[in-house]
Amino acid sequence: MTLTITARRRARLAVGVTAGAALALALPLAASAHVHVTPEEVAANGSTRIDFSFSHGCDGSPTTALVVDIPAEAQGATPVIDGAWTITTEAGENGIPTRVTYTAVAPIPDAYAASAGMNVIFPGSAEGESFAFPVTQQCEAGEAAWVQVAEDGQDPDDLEYPAPVVVVGAAAADAHGGHSESGHSSAGTSDAADAEATAAAAADPLPLWLSAGALVLAAAALVLAITRRRA
């Protein structure tokens, strides 16, 4: 009788560990199911490339397009050509794009990562302010409007469909609009590439959490198998 009760307790413990691991995995995955922007800070008076990245569709449906609205305060928005997208723009009276649409050359399956980029310029008067880039993710079935902006005192993490937001930092130090004479950031091509790669990895933790979750679930299954064998 004692052995049977002990075995049952061990089995319940193993099930609890498995359920806890599944929950721990699900929460970060839910948090990553957004459209992210990297970097999240750009220099005033300088041209900075930003990328909008995602690793999900619309409730499992493949992504067909990203429609990005440009803040009115931006002095420039230049889409970056990428073989994965065809690009169209809508411009205001001043010729500055107000909306950029990236249409996928081929639908991007759910759970596949992709990104679309543009170079943006904000004036020095915008230093210290933050600006939302509302994004509508269009899919073969349905769409997801990532357009919500946190109000004063509201936690952005509480938003179900948060819009990507960038903060305008200090003005570029050089006299070429944030670029060196070679056309690259004055911080250096290598440093910029490293920073962009780090930011992209942080924005999309999906592969890391999937790997960690698989290890946890495998360990829980092993515990359950050993418990059943002893019972």
Side-chain angles (χ1 to χ4, degrees), residues 153-169:
Q154 184 178 16
D155 187 347
D157 292 336
D158 292 336
L159 299 176
E160 186 175 3
Y161 291 96
V165 175
V166 299
V167 176
V168 179

Side-chain angles (χ1 to χ4, degrees), residues 29-115:
L29 291 182
S32 70
H34 297 158
V35 172
H36 301 275
V37 62
T38 53
E40 295 182 343
E41 181 174 331
V42 301
N45 289 334
S47 177
T48 304
R49 172 169 175 169
I50 59 176
D51 289 282
F52 300 93
S53 61
F54 61 94
S55 57
H56 54 81
C58 307
D59 293 328
S61 179
T63 299
T64 56
L66 289 183
V67 182
V68 183
D69 290 323
I70 312 301
E73 294 79 3
Q75 290 184 324
T78 306
V80 176
I81 294 178
D82 185 333
W85 309 95
T86 58
I87 302 172
T88 57
T89 61
E90 298 176 26
E93 295 180 357
N94 56 6
I96 298 175
T98 57
R99 171 175 290 180
V100 179
T101 299
Y102 301 86
T103 302
V105 173
I108 300 167
D110 182 48
Y112 277 63
S115 65

Side-chain angles (χ1 to χ4, degrees), residues 177-225:
H179 286 71
S180 64
E181 294 183 5
S182 63
H184 296 291
S185 171
S186 59
T189 303
S190 178
D191 290 345
D194 290 344
E196 184 174 333
T198 300
D204 186 13
L206 182 62
L208 177 61
W209 280 108
L210 284 176
S211 299
L215 289 175
V216 172
L217 292 177
L222 179 60
V223 171
L224 183 58

